[in-house]
Amino acid sequence: MSRRAREIARCAAVVLAVLPVALAGCSATSPEASATDQLRIMVPNAAGGGYDTTARTVAVVLEQEGITERPEIFNLEGGSGGVGLARTVHERGNPDLLMMMGLGVVGSVHTNDIAADLDQVTPVARLLSEPEVVLVRTTSEHRGLRSLVRAWREDPGSIVVGGGSLAGGPDHLATHLLAQAVRIDPRKVRYRQYDGGGPLLAALFTGRVDVAVSGVLENIEQVRAGAVRVLAVTGEHRVPGVEAPTLQEAGVPLEFANWRGFVAPPGLTPRERARLVSIVTRMHDSPSWREAEQANGWTDAFLTGHAFGSFLDEESARVRELLARLGMEPGEQQVTP
């Protein structure tokens, strides 16, 4: 790995202490008053998670490549991203705010009572996709996915699966789709939710859950250090540096991936929207971003503007259909205590 890639990876791995930031400064400004060094990025969940580390990596690359001054990153937790989405909608006309989002926010729209919807924001760009990993403790009796599936089928209630997302989020959907793919009734899954990858790993290490389903980025250091055992990855391809088969290779007919990208407040002019798309596009096309993707096991999935907006519409419909197929009504969490 190059020196620059190591620096980016370190920046992505560090959990920074974030002071509360008043959002009064996010009020709408005119295009003439807007400048790239005013850019702020909202992370709609806690520091240290997948959204947070991705946003901070973006900020590093923007500065390294001379595209902007390093943007201010701030965290606004609540409602599995729903609070951040509502705030973004409230910031109508603000051309200097981006919100990091992904599949978890889409799920939140369908499972939480929030005063905002995806069709109210300005789509900017989808950046990447990332598979989930199926993890167990190194002391677990399950050394491969088939062993876990066998025990899970025999007694679904005996296996507690932990995830770092609420119902409708990537960990929750991946868990229940995996159960369905191996012929286990999703309604019998014992899913326990945690607030991100850190608490989830703690629950795995202490035995409060038997299996963890989570994103690659949130666990890559523990995986590389041999602190956990990966039984499978959910994407189409294996993840470099992770010694584990895909679900397909393990005999399970399922592919699943999370994704991350940016939206902005509503009410932007075409010029303001084009400026944000240009900033993210220049960042995406840089050598530093290519190295960041490789260092973190991300798959490029770049899509901008109206095409990204169409994807959001399709993704929202897909999640709604998945939740219905899993027997969940809108607003129903269906999470095991």
Side-chain angles (χ1 to χ4, degrees), residues 2-337:
S2 70
R3 178 180 176 184
R4 177 180 285 177
R6 288 195 299 271
E7 179 181 351
I8 293 171
R10 284 197 301 270
C11 289
V14 172
V15 178
L16 301 177
V18 181
L19 295 176
V21 178
L23 288 173
C26 288
S27 59
T29 58
S30 69
E32 290 75 17
S34 178
T36 55
D37 61 2
Q38 296 176 326
L39 189 64
R40 306 173 75 211
I41 299 177
M42 178 199 298
V43 176
N45 59 9
Y51 291 162
D52 187 70
T53 49
T54 304
R56 295 182 189 280
T57 302
V58 167
V60 170
V61 173
L62 285 171
E63 182 180 46
Q64 284 186 339
E65 295 292 335
I67 298 169
T68 69
E69 296 294 325
R70 185 175 299 197
E72 175 190 350
I73 309 293
F74 65 100
N75 299 71
L76 186 62
E77 303 176 47
S80 194
V83 171
L85 181 64
R87 184 69 202 199
T88 301
V89 171
H90 179 73
E91 291 293 326
R92 183 177 185 85
N94 181 359
D96 297 312
L97 178 66
L98 290 171
M99 186 186 86
M100 173 64 65
M101 68 159 296
L103 183 57
V105 175
V106 178
S108 177
V109 169
H110 294 287
T111 57
N112 289 287
D113 185 17
I114 59 175
D117 207 341
L118 292 170
D119 60 7
Q120 295 176 276
V121 295
T122 300
V124 176
R126 184 185 67 189
L127 283 176
L128 59 92
S129 67
E130 178 190 55
E132 300 275 294
V133 286
V134 181
L135 304 168
V136 295
R137 295 181 293 279
T138 55
T139 57
S140 171
E141 63 180 301
H142 304 300
R143 305 195 64 84
L145 186 65
R146 291 182 180 179
S147 171
L148 171 65
V149 168
R150 189 180 307 114
W152 205 8
R153 281 175 178 163
E154 289 176 357
D155 185 2
S158 68
I159 304 293
V160 179
V161 184
S165 66
L166 297 175
D171 302 352
H172 174 267
L173 289 177
T175 297
H176 288 76
L177 289 172
L178 174 59
Q180 191 174 61
V182 298
R183 301 190 301 281
I184 295 171
D185 185 349
R187 295 173 184 270
K188 295 182 178 180
V189 171
R190 295 183 65 194
Y191 178 83
R192 187 169 293 169
Q193 69 185 42
Y194 292 89
D195 188 16
L200 174 59
L201 278 173
L204 182 66
F205 290 145
T206 57
R208 284 174 285 164
V209 299
D210 303 297
V211 184
V213 177
S214 185
V216 171
L217 175 60
E218 293 173 284
N219 302 279
I220 193 66
E221 295 302 321
Q222 289 77 16
V223 171
R224 288 171 175 166
V228 291
R229 181 183 302 146
V230 183
L231 301 185
V233 297
T234 66
E236 181 182 1
H237 304 290
R238 292 194 179 203
V239 175
V242 178
E243 294 298 322
T246 66
L247 291 177
Q248 295 276 3
E249 290 174 330
V252 178
L254 176 66
E255 289 180 8
F256 181 90
N258 190 11
W259 56 269
R260 298 191 189 98
F262 286 118
V263 294
L268 302 189
T269 67
R271 179 183 174 186
E272 290 166 341
R273 178 174 182 164
R275 164 184 165 260
L276 292 175
V277 171
S278 175
I279 288 172
V280 178
T281 299
R282 291 170 62 196
M283 188 280 306
H284 164 266
D285 292 344
S286 70
S288 295
W289 181 250
R290 288 284 180 264
E291 292 177 0
E293 287 183 324
Q294 183 176 6
N296 290 294
W298 295 331
T299 299
D300 187 69
F302 196 57
L303 197 64
T304 61
H306 295 293
F308 178 44
S310 296
F311 169 80
L312 284 177
D313 291 340
E314 294 167 0
E315 193 74 342
S316 182
R318 183 176 77 96
V319 170
R320 186 187 305 112
E321 188 275 331
L322 284 174
L323 290 172
R325 195 198 318 166
L326 295 173
M328 295 187 62
E329 297 295 329
E332 180 185 359
Q333 292 294 324
Q334 194 175 323
V335 175
T336 299

